[in-house]
Amino acid sequence: NAGVTQTPKFQVLKTGQSMTLQCAQDMNHNSMYWYRQDPGMGLRLIYYSASEGTTDKGEVPNGYNVSRLNKREFSLRLESAAPSQTSVYFCASRDRNTGELFFGEGSRLTVL
Amino acid sequence: GQSLEQPSEVTAVEGAIVQINCTYQTSGFYGLSWYQQHDGGAPTFLSYNALDGLEETGRFSSFLSRSDSYGYLLLQELQMKDSASYFCAVRGGTGGFKTIFGAGTRLFVKA
């Protein structure tokens, strides 16, 4: 059981570079989410996708774009990375019956 | 919008009971969840309350009062491995798809 898979697990970028974080789930969930977590803090919602073909802004969407490629995949793109985007990024999908969020292992991004 | 408040830290001894409170504000409430996160790991689901009352799962229980916009997580028979961060999270917004987390409560369990 793979669950939620995120790639890459680690990435170092220079200011101004772009990159895409990939996320895929194999649980046939409709809803998917991207969060960021800074040291000692909670998870802040960046974007979410209630279902295939829809995306909505969360609490901290500025500087990010998302694509819900299909039901399985939900990617997060940083067009021009800034040091303030140094964080751990978590992708999650939600079981509509239980409300439970299943998280990937996280992607640790450092922007120099 | 949505927001949550929970204590930043709680310390308890092994074998004791600890309660972590959470108050929330949201438009369109669908439910309150609790997650555990160990250092360096991903959050894992503990419980979910959509209706008022107490939900029990082994050593963990969660309570919800929708009229008070309040919930708590109760951990019994504390073990050292329970040392972790605990987050409450509220489902809200249109259709209940938007899930927002609190800042987390760091639990330290002492021998």
Side-chain angles (χ1 to χ4, degrees):
Chain A
N1 283 341
V4 178
T5 304
Q6 292 180 230
T7 56
K9 288 185 171 48
F10 299 93
Q11 183 73 49
V12 179
L13 290 177
K14 293 181 180 178
T15 296
Q17 288 186 318
S18 62
M19 77 158 297
T20 300
L21 299 177
Q22 307 285 356
C23 176
Q25 52 94 9
D26 62 1
M27 295 172 282
N28 201 36
H29 291 162
N30 288 322
S31 302
M32 297 185 72
Y33 302 77
W34 276 106
Y35 292 90
R36 61 175 287 175
Q37 185 175 35
D38 299 315
M41 296 183 68
L43 296 100
R44 291 185 290 170
L45 181 63
I46 305 171
Y47 270 94
Y48 63 102
S49 171
S51 60
E52 185 179 355
T54 69
T55 60
D56 285 284
K57 294 179 180 179
E59 301 171 278
V60 288
N62 291 346
Y64 304 95
N65 287 301
V66 290
S67 295
R68 184 72 184 269
L69 304 170
N70 47 56
K71 191 171 186 177
R72 291 186 64 249
E73 298 172 289
F74 187 37
S75 63
L76 178 72
R77 182 160 178 85
L78 288 71
E79 291 290 352
S80 179
S84 61
Q85 295 178 303
T86 293
S87 190
V88 179
Y89 292 84
F90 286 101
C91 176
S93 65
R94 187 173 67 86
D95 183 322
R96 64 177 295 176
N97 296 316
T98 65
E100 177 178 354
L101 288 175
F102 291 82
F103 286 85
E105 294 181 344
S107 298
R108 284 152 180 80
L109 175 65
T110 301
V111 183
L112 302 175
Chain B
Q2 295 165 256
S3 65
L4 301 98
E5 295 277 344
Q6 55 181 126
S8 59
E9 279 187 17
V10 174
T11 300
V13 297
E14 212 172 1
I17 299 172
V18 71
Q19 178 173 314
I20 300 173
N21 299 318
C22 175
T23 57
Y24 61 86
Q25 290 186 325
T26 183
S27 55
F29 177 82
Y30 283 78
L32 187 72
S33 303
W34 289 91
Y35 289 80
Q36 179 191 61
Q37 185 181 33
H38 286 100
D39 287 346
T44 56
F45 175 81
L46 292 175
S47 68
Y48 177 70
N49 295 69
L51 302 175
D52 291 351
L54 191 68
E55 295 280 344
E56 298 179 79
T57 308
R59 295 187 297 114
F60 296 86
S61 303
S62 58
F63 172 82
L64 175 66
S65 169
R66 288 175 296 170
S67 60
D68 295 323
S69 298
Y70 164 77
Y72 66 72
L73 179 70
L74 193 72
L75 297 86
Q76 303 181 73
E77 301 172 16
L78 281 174
Q79 303 174 9
M80 297 298 287
K81 68 178 182 180
D82 296 328
S83 292
S85 293
Y86 293 84
F87 297 91
C88 56
V90 65
R91 276 183 62 194
T94 303
F97 296 107
K98 193 173 185 180
T99 300
I100 302 296
F101 282 73
T105 299
R106 182 84 181 194
L107 172 63
F108 297 94
V109 180
K110 302 189 300 184

